[in-house]
Amino acid sequence: MALNVVIGAQWGDEGKGKIIDYLSEKSDYVIRFHGGNNAGHTVINKFGKFALHLVPSGIFYPKTKVIIGNGVIVDLHVLLEEIKMLKKRGIKIKNKLFISPRCHLIMPYHKLLDSLYENAKGKGKTGTTGRGIGPTYSDKVSYNGIRIADLMSPKVFSEKLKIQLAVKNKILKALGAKQLSQANIERDFFSFREKIKAYVLEPLPLIKKTIKNNQNILLEGAQGTLLDNDWGTYPFVTGSTVLTGGINAGAGVPVDKIDNVIGVVKAYLTRVGEGPFPTELANNLGEKLKTIGGEFGATTGRPRRCGWLDIELLKFACFINGFTKLVITKLDVLDSFPEIKICTHYTLNGKKVNYYDGDANFLTKIKPVYKILKGWSSPTKGVTKYNSLPKQAKEYIKKIENLVGVKVKYISTGPKRDEIIKI
Ligand code: IMP
């Protein structure tokens, strides 16, 4: 049996979708354990190109089953559209997708509140995806959430909705927004209920059985370590626990069963939304990375900010998640850069400081210190053998391994499933 966890080591968009798709072949279950449709996992395989927001990326293999774990928050409209799209493109869903009844629902007022809170913050806004993520998680922790289990019983759903609307409509009114009608929400959600109920099942017995039978489980992380609600660059973070420990609370998977924690690292660094980014390249080089890397959000289409790889942040991600191996993605994007910089550490007033010594404001003051490496200036796109990589590309990989102390197991050299090196 193997229990593998895949976690984004940066600010999300590391290319986790492709890696999860690749690793899913040998997995009996692939489980999402946090986040919602703020995630956009791009998968390119023999069926075509997909941007999945809620359905776990393991869905494409005939024998792999997928679970939307209790820690995920669900926009049913988006989920049903995704299921429809997958079915239309020939992907089997029935008896393969299970949704925990404990998942909280993203309600229409959560989406409205997301943008109202962002507007209220003005220049200090987080730059959210606008999917209602923060307001849904805050209702969850303040015991105001509505769960899929509630929707399965229309009476319970209506009662809970009534209480929430009594409060939420007051807030919406105070903020100058349109108020919501119970009847309209019920009409939509009762129709969703009919379409979704076949997939709703408490997954814990399946997980226990899988562990007992020594089968393989893959936990699919979303977003990335630096967007974690506690350990990310707060308040420029997301609403969930994105770290390895999140699998326990968010999927009911015991942590003592973990075999591998795989950290996915882009060969450079990107961030969508606001917040500090010490190695950001707000110049031609950043533009070049964005263009070659196709750095536009899979969920919102927003351009991603680009910069050099930041080892200080990566070391932190390795420590906090307990990464046992790394995957480096998008190595080929650096092919035409004559010089490649790596930020090895930070200083403040001439003294060495760490990422965790301060907050988001502190990160705008530190100075990143770089090591300059010679680029390889030759194509690595589609390379599948480590020995076929140019010498400087191998040196780049070795440098990362040496600086963070974790071995690189896979290198992705293009978006397709087979454009990968296994070391
Ligand atoms: P939210 O998760 O929509 O509330 O957005 C909070 C922050 O997390 C914003 O900076 C978003 O751009 C960022 N974010 C959320 N999901 C993702 C993701 O899947 N990839 C990259 N950034 C994300």
Side-chain angles (χ1 to χ4, degrees), residues 339-371:
E339 245 178 21
I340 296 168
K341 285 188 177 183
I342 294 187
C343 163
T344 53
H345 60 284
Y346 298 159
T347 60
L348 183 65
N349 304 325
K351 280 205 189 112
K352 202 170 169 201
V353 288
N354 299 303
Y355 160 70
Y356 47 84
D357 289 334
D359 58 7
N361 187 34
F362 163 83
L363 281 187
T364 62
K365 300 196 179 105
I366 60 89
K367 186 171 163 290
V369 180
Y370 292 99
K371 200 165 212 48

PDB file of all heavy atoms in Angstrom, residues 339-371:
ATOM      1  N   GLU A 339      20.802  33.516 -18.274  1.00  0.00           N
ATOM      2  CA  GLU A 339      21.186  33.523 -16.857  1.00  0.00           C
ATOM      3  C   GLU A 339      19.953  33.194 -16.018  1.00  0.00           C
ATOM      4  O   GLU A 339      18.856  33.672 -16.307  1.00  0.00           O
ATOM      5  CB  GLU A 339      21.604  34.939 -16.463  1.00  0.00           C
ATOM      6  CG  GLU A 339      23.027  35.049 -16.100  1.00  0.00           C
ATOM      7  CD  GLU A 339      23.420  36.478 -15.759  1.00  0.00           C
ATOM      8  OE1 GLU A 339      22.548  37.302 -15.420  1.00  0.00           O
ATOM      9  OE2 GLU A 339      24.614  36.747 -15.839  1.00  0.00           O
ATOM     10  N   ILE A 340      20.125  32.371 -15.002  1.00  0.00           N
ATOM     11  CA  ILE A 340      18.992  32.044 -14.126  1.00  0.00           C
ATOM     12  C   ILE A 340      19.393  32.367 -12.693  1.00  0.00           C
ATOM     13  O   ILE A 340      20.472  31.976 -12.235  1.00  0.00           O
ATOM     14  CB  ILE A 340      18.620  30.556 -14.269  1.00  0.00           C
ATOM     15  CG1 ILE A 340      18.138  30.300 -15.706  1.00  0.00           C
ATOM     16  CG2 ILE A 340      17.530  30.160 -13.268  1.00  0.00           C
ATOM     17  CD1 ILE A 340      18.009  28.861 -16.077  1.00  0.00           C
ATOM     18  N   LYS A 341      18.531  33.107 -12.004  1.00  0.00           N
ATOM     19  CA  LYS A 341      18.849  33.460 -10.619  1.00  0.00           C
ATOM     20  C   LYS A 341      18.052  32.588  -9.663  1.00  0.00           C
ATOM     21  O   LYS A 341      16.906  32.231  -9.936  1.00  0.00           O
ATOM     22  CB  LYS A 341      18.495  34.922 -10.370  1.00  0.00           C
ATOM     23  CG  LYS A 341      19.472  35.908 -10.974  1.00  0.00           C
ATOM     24  CD  LYS A 341      19.072  37.266 -10.464  1.00  0.00           C
ATOM     25  CE  LYS A 341      19.971  38.363 -10.914  1.00  0.00           C
ATOM     26  NZ  LYS A 341      19.544  39.641 -10.318  1.00  0.00           N
ATOM     27  N   ILE A 342      18.678  32.286  -8.520  1.00  0.00           N
ATOM     28  CA  ILE A 342      17.971  31.599  -7.427  1.00  0.00           C
ATOM     29  C   ILE A 342      18.151  32.470  -6.191  1.00  0.00           C
ATOM     30  O   ILE A 342      19.285  32.840  -5.862  1.00  0.00           O
ATOM     31  CB  ILE A 342      18.593  30.222  -7.110  1.00  0.00           C
ATOM     32  CG1 ILE A 342      18.439  29.245  -8.253  1.00  0.00           C
ATOM     33  CG2 ILE A 342      17.968  29.623  -5.860  1.00  0.00           C
ATOM     34  CD1 ILE A 342      18.883  27.827  -7.895  1.00  0.00           C
ATOM     35  N   CYS A 343      17.068  32.759  -5.519  1.00  0.00           N
ATOM     36  CA  CYS A 343      17.193  33.487  -4.248  1.00  0.00           C
ATOM     37  C   CYS A 343      17.544  32.462  -3.177  1.00  0.00           C
ATOM     38  O   CYS A 343      16.780  31.532  -2.927  1.00  0.00           O
ATOM     39  CB  CYS A 343      15.885  34.197  -3.910  1.00  0.00           C
ATOM     40  SG  CYS A 343      15.794  34.691  -2.196  1.00  0.00           S
ATOM     41  N   THR A 344      18.715  32.613  -2.564  1.00  0.00           N
ATOM     42  CA  THR A 344      19.170  31.612  -1.583  1.00  0.00           C
ATOM     43  C   THR A 344      18.688  31.932  -0.170  1.00  0.00           C
ATOM     44  O   THR A 344      18.461  31.050   0.639  1.00  0.00           O
ATOM     45  CB  THR A 344      20.706  31.518  -1.569  1.00  0.00           C
ATOM     46  OG1 THR A 344      21.218  32.847  -1.390  1.00  0.00           O
ATOM     47  CG2 THR A 344      21.236  30.908  -2.848  1.00  0.00           C
ATOM     48  N   HIS A 345      18.586  33.252   0.146  1.00  0.00           N
ATOM     49  CA  HIS A 345      18.135  33.643   1.487  1.00  0.00           C
ATOM     50  C   HIS A 345      17.740  35.111   1.493  1.00  0.00           C
ATOM     51  O   HIS A 345      17.892  35.803   0.478  1.00  0.00           O
ATOM     52  CB  HIS A 345      19.219  33.367   2.531  1.00  0.00           C
ATOM     53  CG  HIS A 345      20.513  34.097   2.290  1.00  0.00           C
ATOM     54  ND1 HIS A 345      21.422  33.723   1.336  1.00  0.00           N
ATOM     55  CD2 HIS A 345      21.021  35.209   2.875  1.00  0.00           C
ATOM     56  CE1 HIS A 345      22.448  34.545   1.344  1.00  0.00           C
ATOM     57  NE2 HIS A 345      22.232  35.473   2.261  1.00  0.00           N
ATOM     58  N   TYR A 346      17.237  35.556   2.646  1.00  0.00           N
ATOM     59  CA  TYR A 346      16.841  36.969   2.788  1.00  0.00           C
ATOM     60  C   TYR A 346      17.738  37.667   3.806  1.00  0.00           C
ATOM     61  O   TYR A 346      18.207  37.033   4.772  1.00  0.00           O
ATOM     62  CB  TYR A 346      15.416  37.083   3.360  1.00  0.00           C
ATOM     63  CG  TYR A 346      14.288  36.493   2.551  1.00  0.00           C
ATOM     64  CD1 TYR A 346      13.087  36.168   3.200  1.00  0.00           C
ATOM     65  CD2 TYR A 346      14.383  36.283   1.180  1.00  0.00           C
ATOM     66  CE1 TYR A 346      12.018  35.651   2.500  1.00  0.00           C
ATOM     67  CE2 TYR A 346      13.310  35.758   0.482  1.00  0.00           C
ATOM     68  CZ  TYR A 346      12.135  35.440   1.141  1.00  0.00           C
ATOM     69  OH  TYR A 346      11.071  34.922   0.447  1.00  0.00           O
ATOM     70  N   THR A 347      17.904  38.988   3.623  1.00  0.00           N
ATOM     71  CA  THR A 347      18.530  39.790   4.674  1.00  0.00           C
ATOM     72  C   THR A 347      17.646  41.000   4.968  1.00  0.00           C
ATOM     73  O   THR A 347      16.849  41.432   4.129  1.00  0.00           O
ATOM     74  CB  THR A 347      19.940  40.291   4.281  1.00  0.00           C
ATOM     75  OG1 THR A 347      19.823  41.097   3.109  1.00  0.00           O
ATOM     76  CG2 THR A 347      20.924  39.173   4.058  1.00  0.00           C
ATOM     77  N   LEU A 348      17.790  41.502   6.183  1.00  0.00           N
ATOM     78  CA  LEU A 348      17.120  42.751   6.570  1.00  0.00           C
ATOM     79  C   LEU A 348      18.150  43.548   7.370  1.00  0.00           C
ATOM     80  O   LEU A 348      18.702  43.018   8.344  1.00  0.00           O
ATOM     81  CB  LEU A 348      15.872  42.452   7.411  1.00  0.00           C
ATOM     82  CG  LEU A 348      15.047  43.677   7.806  1.00  0.00           C
ATOM     83  CD1 LEU A 348      14.421  44.364   6.598  1.00  0.00           C
ATOM     84  CD2 LEU A 348      13.935  43.273   8.787  1.00  0.00           C
ATOM     85  N   ASN A 349      18.406  44.760   6.928  1.00  0.00           N
ATOM     86  CA  ASN A 349      19.449  45.605   7.538  1.00  0.00           C
ATOM     87  C   ASN A 349      20.765  44.833   7.674  1.00  0.00           C
ATOM     88  O   ASN A 349      21.427  44.864   8.711  1.00  0.00           O
ATOM     89  CB  ASN A 349      19.010  46.121   8.914  1.00  0.00           C
ATOM     90  CG  ASN A 349      17.699  46.878   8.817  1.00  0.00           C
ATOM     91  OD1 ASN A 349      17.456  47.557   7.811  1.00  0.00           O
ATOM     92  ND2 ASN A 349      16.830  46.735   9.819  1.00  0.00           N
ATOM     93  N   GLY A 350      21.102  44.092   6.642  1.00  0.00           N
ATOM     94  CA  GLY A 350      22.387  43.382   6.606  1.00  0.00           C
ATOM     95  C   GLY A 350      22.411  42.066   7.383  1.00  0.00           C
ATOM     96  O   GLY A 350      23.399  41.336   7.340  1.00  0.00           O
ATOM     97  N   LYS A 351      21.318  41.723   8.058  1.00  0.00           N
ATOM     98  CA  LYS A 351      21.304  40.463   8.844  1.00  0.00           C
ATOM     99  C   LYS A 351      20.428  39.423   8.157  1.00  0.00           C
ATOM    100  O   LYS A 351      19.395  39.771   7.587  1.00  0.00           O
ATOM    101  CB  LYS A 351      20.699  40.727  10.226  1.00  0.00           C
ATOM    102  CG  LYS A 351      21.647  41.344  11.202  1.00  0.00           C
ATOM    103  CD  LYS A 351      21.174  40.984  12.639  1.00  0.00           C
ATOM    104  CE  LYS A 351      21.958  41.770  13.657  1.00  0.00           C
ATOM    105  NZ  LYS A 351      21.161  42.767  14.362  1.00  0.00           N
ATOM    106  N   LYS A 352      20.826  38.155   8.262  1.00  0.00           N
ATOM    107  CA  LYS A 352      20.044  37.077   7.661  1.00  0.00           C
ATOM    108  C   LYS A 352      18.722  36.911   8.426  1.00  0.00           C
ATOM    109  O   LYS A 352      18.728  36.873   9.659  1.00  0.00           O
ATOM    110  CB  LYS A 352      20.862  35.791   7.736  1.00  0.00           C
ATOM    111  CG  LYS A 352      20.446  34.772   6.729  1.00  0.00           C
ATOM    112  CD  LYS A 352      21.411  33.617   6.646  1.00  0.00           C
ATOM    113  CE  LYS A 352      20.747  32.551   5.819  1.00  0.00           C
ATOM    114  NZ  LYS A 352      21.249  31.240   5.999  1.00  0.00           N
ATOM    115  N   VAL A 353      17.614  36.861   7.687  1.00  0.00           N
ATOM    116  CA  VAL A 353      16.314  36.647   8.339  1.00  0.00           C
ATOM    117  C   VAL A 353      15.570  35.520   7.617  1.00  0.00           C
ATOM    118  O   VAL A 353      15.928  35.156   6.497  1.00  0.00           O
ATOM    119  CB  VAL A 353      15.430  37.927   8.316  1.00  0.00           C
ATOM    120  CG1 VAL A 353      15.952  38.985   9.267  1.00  0.00           C
ATOM    121  CG2 VAL A 353      15.256  38.473   6.902  1.00  0.00           C
ATOM    122  N   ASN A 354      14.561  34.997   8.294  1.00  0.00           N
ATOM    123  CA  ASN A 354      13.775  33.903   7.708  1.00  0.00           C
ATOM    124  C   ASN A 354      12.384  34.376   7.313  1.00  0.00           C
ATOM    125  O   ASN A 354      11.870  35.356   7.876  1.00  0.00           O
ATOM    126  CB  ASN A 354      13.615  32.778   8.734  1.00  0.00           C
ATOM    127  CG  ASN A 354      14.952  32.207   9.137  1.00  0.00           C
ATOM    128  OD1 ASN A 354      15.709  31.753   8.289  1.00  0.00           O
ATOM    129  ND2 ASN A 354      15.247  32.266  10.412  1.00  0.00           N
ATOM    130  N   TYR A 355      11.769  33.582   6.436  1.00  0.00           N
ATOM    131  CA  TYR A 355      10.392  33.854   6.011  1.00  0.00           C
ATOM    132  C   TYR A 355       9.455  33.998   7.204  1.00  0.00           C
ATOM    133  O   TYR A 355       8.633  34.895   7.278  1.00  0.00           O
ATOM    134  CB  TYR A 355       9.924  32.709   5.084  1.00  0.00           C
ATOM    135  CG  TYR A 355       8.423  32.603   4.953  1.00  0.00           C
ATOM    136  CD1 TYR A 355       7.713  33.572   4.257  1.00  0.00           C
ATOM    137  CD2 TYR A 355       7.711  31.550   5.540  1.00  0.00           C
ATOM    138  CE1 TYR A 355       6.319  33.484   4.142  1.00  0.00           C
ATOM    139  CE2 TYR A 355       6.344  31.459   5.437  1.00  0.00           C
ATOM    140  CZ  TYR A 355       5.654  32.430   4.742  1.00  0.00           C
ATOM    141  OH  TYR A 355       4.291  32.347   4.644  1.00  0.00           O
ATOM    142  N   TYR A 356       9.611  33.100   8.170  1.00  0.00           N
ATOM    143  CA  TYR A 356       8.649  33.032   9.280  1.00  0.00           C
ATOM    144  C   TYR A 356       8.954  34.024  10.405  1.00  0.00           C
ATOM    145  O   TYR A 356       8.282  34.018  11.433  1.00  0.00           O
ATOM    146  CB  TYR A 356       8.587  31.593   9.837  1.00  0.00           C
ATOM    147  CG  TYR A 356       9.948  30.990  10.082  1.00  0.00           C
ATOM    148  CD1 TYR A 356      10.645  31.229  11.264  1.00  0.00           C
ATOM    149  CD2 TYR A 356      10.552  30.207   9.099  1.00  0.00           C
ATOM    150  CE1 TYR A 356      11.907  30.698  11.465  1.00  0.00           C
ATOM    151  CE2 TYR A 356      11.811  29.678   9.300  1.00  0.00           C
ATOM    152  CZ  TYR A 356      12.485  29.925  10.485  1.00  0.00           C
ATOM    153  OH  TYR A 356      13.732  29.406  10.678  1.00  0.00           O
ATOM    154  N   ASP A 357       9.971  34.873  10.212  1.00  0.00           N
ATOM    155  CA  ASP A 357      10.282  35.865  11.256  1.00  0.00           C
ATOM    156  C   ASP A 357       9.275  37.014  11.294  1.00  0.00           C
ATOM    157  O   ASP A 357       9.272  37.797  12.245  1.00  0.00           O
ATOM    158  CB  ASP A 357      11.683  36.457  11.047  1.00  0.00           C
ATOM    159  CG  ASP A 357      12.770  35.442  11.371  1.00  0.00           C
ATOM    160  OD1 ASP A 357      12.494  34.538  12.175  1.00  0.00           O
ATOM    161  OD2 ASP A 357      13.866  35.537  10.799  1.00  0.00           O
ATOM    162  N   GLY A 358       8.482  37.160  10.252  1.00  0.00           N
ATOM    163  CA  GLY A 358       7.567  38.295  10.238  1.00  0.00           C
ATOM    164  C   GLY A 358       6.343  38.027   9.401  1.00  0.00           C
ATOM    165  O   GLY A 358       6.102  36.900   8.961  1.00  0.00           O
ATOM    166  N   ASP A 359       5.581  39.076   9.185  1.00  0.00           N
ATOM    167  CA  ASP A 359       4.311  38.924   8.456  1.00  0.00           C
ATOM    168  C   ASP A 359       4.455  39.392   7.000  1.00  0.00           C
ATOM    169  O   ASP A 359       5.568  39.606   6.506  1.00  0.00           O
ATOM    170  CB  ASP A 359       3.208  39.697   9.188  1.00  0.00           C
ATOM    171  CG  ASP A 359       3.554  41.175   9.322  1.00  0.00           C
ATOM    172  OD1 ASP A 359       4.582  41.604   8.738  1.00  0.00           O
ATOM    173  OD2 ASP A 359       2.807  41.890  10.007  1.00  0.00           O
ATOM    174  N   ALA A 360       3.313  39.581   6.377  1.00  0.00           N
ATOM    175  CA  ALA A 360       3.323  39.972   4.963  1.00  0.00           C
ATOM    176  C   ALA A 360       4.027  41.316   4.775  1.00  0.00           C
ATOM    177  O   ALA A 360       4.756  41.522   3.785  1.00  0.00           O
ATOM    178  CB  ALA A 360       1.890  40.034   4.449  1.00  0.00           C
ATOM    179  N   ASN A 361       3.851  42.208   5.728  1.00  0.00           N
ATOM    180  CA  ASN A 361       4.471  43.523   5.643  1.00  0.00           C
ATOM    181  C   ASN A 361       5.999  43.407   5.745  1.00  0.00           C
ATOM    182  O   ASN A 361       6.746  44.043   4.996  1.00  0.00           O
ATOM    183  CB  ASN A 361       3.899  44.401   6.771  1.00  0.00           C
ATOM    184  CG  ASN A 361       4.371  45.823   6.648  1.00  0.00           C
ATOM    185  OD1 ASN A 361       4.546  46.322   5.536  1.00  0.00           O
ATOM    186  ND2 ASN A 361       4.611  46.462   7.783  1.00  0.00           N
ATOM    187  N   PHE A 362       6.451  42.532   6.652  1.00  0.00           N
ATOM    188  CA  PHE A 362       7.883  42.256   6.832  1.00  0.00           C
ATOM    189  C   PHE A 362       8.492  41.773   5.503  1.00  0.00           C
ATOM    190  O   PHE A 362       9.595  42.170   5.112  1.00  0.00           O
ATOM    191  CB  PHE A 362       7.996  41.204   7.942  1.00  0.00           C
ATOM    192  CG  PHE A 362       9.290  40.463   8.046  1.00  0.00           C
ATOM    193  CD1 PHE A 362      10.378  41.007   8.723  1.00  0.00           C
ATOM    194  CD2 PHE A 362       9.420  39.187   7.508  1.00  0.00           C
ATOM    195  CE1 PHE A 362      11.564  40.298   8.853  1.00  0.00           C
ATOM    196  CE2 PHE A 362      10.602  38.477   7.631  1.00  0.00           C
ATOM    197  CZ  PHE A 362      11.674  39.037   8.313  1.00  0.00           C
ATOM    198  N   LEU A 363       7.737  40.936   4.791  1.00  0.00           N
ATOM    199  CA  LEU A 363       8.251  40.391   3.524  1.00  0.00           C
ATOM    200  C   LEU A 363       8.426  41.455   2.444  1.00  0.00           C
ATOM    201  O   LEU A 363       9.137  41.238   1.471  1.00  0.00           O
ATOM    202  CB  LEU A 363       7.318  39.294   3.001  1.00  0.00           C
ATOM    203  CG  LEU A 363       7.436  37.918   3.635  1.00  0.00           C
ATOM    204  CD1 LEU A 363       6.575  36.934   2.884  1.00  0.00           C
ATOM    205  CD2 LEU A 363       8.877  37.429   3.652  1.00  0.00           C
ATOM    206  N   THR A 364       7.759  42.594   2.600  1.00  0.00           N
ATOM    207  CA  THR A 364       7.951  43.657   1.604  1.00  0.00           C
ATOM    208  C   THR A 364       9.248  44.429   1.900  1.00  0.00           C
ATOM    209  O   THR A 364       9.724  45.193   1.071  1.00  0.00           O
ATOM    210  CB  THR A 364       6.772  44.664   1.606  1.00  0.00           C
ATOM    211  OG1 THR A 364       6.718  45.292   2.888  1.00  0.00           O
ATOM    212  CG2 THR A 364       5.453  43.995   1.300  1.00  0.00           C
ATOM    213  N   LYS A 365       9.818  44.207   3.097  1.00  0.00           N
ATOM    214  CA  LYS A 365      11.018  44.964   3.483  1.00  0.00           C
ATOM    215  C   LYS A 365      12.324  44.192   3.312  1.00  0.00           C
ATOM    216  O   LYS A 365      13.382  44.781   3.196  1.00  0.00           O
ATOM    217  CB  LYS A 365      10.898  45.384   4.954  1.00  0.00           C
ATOM    218  CG  LYS A 365       9.688  46.265   5.221  1.00  0.00           C
ATOM    219  CD  LYS A 365       9.809  46.956   6.554  1.00  0.00           C
ATOM    220  CE  LYS A 365       8.623  47.851   6.791  1.00  0.00           C
ATOM    221  NZ  LYS A 365       7.686  47.288   7.743  1.00  0.00           N
ATOM    222  N   ILE A 366      12.244  42.860   3.334  1.00  0.00           N
ATOM    223  CA  ILE A 366      13.473  42.061   3.278  1.00  0.00           C
ATOM    224  C   ILE A 366      14.130  42.181   1.898  1.00  0.00           C
ATOM    225  O   ILE A 366      13.490  42.569   0.918  1.00  0.00           O
ATOM    226  CB  ILE A 366      13.195  40.585   3.611  1.00  0.00           C
ATOM    227  CG1 ILE A 366      12.185  39.994   2.618  1.00  0.00           C
ATOM    228  CG2 ILE A 366      12.682  40.403   5.021  1.00  0.00           C
ATOM    229  CD1 ILE A 366      12.755  39.412   1.428  1.00  0.00           C
ATOM    230  N   LYS A 367      15.434  41.814   1.856  1.00  0.00           N
ATOM    231  CA  LYS A 367      16.159  41.872   0.586  1.00  0.00           C
ATOM    232  C   LYS A 367      16.483  40.440   0.163  1.00  0.00           C
ATOM    233  O   LYS A 367      17.157  39.716   0.918  1.00  0.00           O
ATOM    234  CB  LYS A 367      17.445  42.680   0.818  1.00  0.00           C
ATOM    235  CG  LYS A 367      18.242  42.962  -0.414  1.00  0.00           C
ATOM    236  CD  LYS A 367      19.356  43.946  -0.058  1.00  0.00           C
ATOM    237  CE  LYS A 367      20.435  43.992  -1.085  1.00  0.00           C
ATOM    238  NZ  LYS A 367      21.290  42.861  -1.208  1.00  0.00           N
ATOM    239  N   PRO A 368      16.012  40.001  -1.004  1.00  0.00           N
ATOM    240  CA  PRO A 368      16.383  38.647  -1.441  1.00  0.00           C
ATOM    241  C   PRO A 368      17.844  38.631  -1.939  1.00  0.00           C
ATOM    242  O   PRO A 368      18.254  39.546  -2.646  1.00  0.00           O
ATOM    243  CB  PRO A 368      15.420  38.360  -2.593  1.00  0.00           C
ATOM    244  CG  PRO A 368      14.829  39.663  -2.987  1.00  0.00           C
ATOM    245  CD  PRO A 368      15.099  40.678  -1.926  1.00  0.00           C
ATOM    246  N   VAL A 369      18.610  37.628  -1.528  1.00  0.00           N
ATOM    247  CA  VAL A 369      20.009  37.511  -1.976  1.00  0.00           C
ATOM    248  C   VAL A 369      20.057  36.381  -3.013  1.00  0.00           C
ATOM    249  O   VAL A 369      19.514  35.297  -2.775  1.00  0.00           O
ATOM    250  CB  VAL A 369      20.933  37.191  -0.777  1.00  0.00           C
ATOM    251  CG1 VAL A 369      22.381  37.063  -1.233  1.00  0.00           C
ATOM    252  CG2 VAL A 369      20.782  38.274   0.293  1.00  0.00           C
ATOM    253  N   TYR A 370      20.702  36.666  -4.153  1.00  0.00           N
ATOM    254  CA  TYR A 370      20.647  35.721  -5.274  1.00  0.00           C
ATOM    255  C   TYR A 370      21.985  35.042  -5.559  1.00  0.00           C
ATOM    256  O   TYR A 370      23.044  35.621  -5.335  1.00  0.00           O
ATOM    257  CB  TYR A 370      20.236  36.458  -6.555  1.00  0.00           C
ATOM    258  CG  TYR A 370      18.810  36.948  -6.539  1.00  0.00           C
ATOM    259  CD1 TYR A 370      18.519  38.275  -6.232  1.00  0.00           C
ATOM    260  CD2 TYR A 370      17.756  36.093  -6.833  1.00  0.00           C
ATOM    261  CE1 TYR A 370      17.213  38.749  -6.218  1.00  0.00           C
ATOM    262  CE2 TYR A 370      16.443  36.546  -6.825  1.00  0.00           C
ATOM    263  CZ  TYR A 370      16.180  37.867  -6.521  1.00  0.00           C
ATOM    264  OH  TYR A 370      14.886  38.324  -6.505  1.00  0.00           O
ATOM    265  N   LYS A 371      21.880  33.857  -6.118  1.00  0.00           N
ATOM    266  CA  LYS A 371      23.013  33.182  -6.738  1.00  0.00           C
ATOM    267  C   LYS A 371      22.694  33.174  -8.240  1.00  0.00           C
ATOM    268  O   LYS A 371      21.548  32.908  -8.612  1.00  0.00           O
ATOM    269  CB  LYS A 371      23.077  31.742  -6.207  1.00  0.00           C
ATOM    270  CG  LYS A 371      24.412  31.123  -6.381  1.00  0.00           C
ATOM    271  CD  LYS A 371      24.538  29.881  -5.530  1.00  0.00           C
ATOM    272  CE  LYS A 371      25.931  29.626  -5.031  1.00  0.00           C
ATOM    273  NZ  LYS A 371      26.701  30.644  -4.433  1.00  0.00           N
TER     274      LYS A 371
END
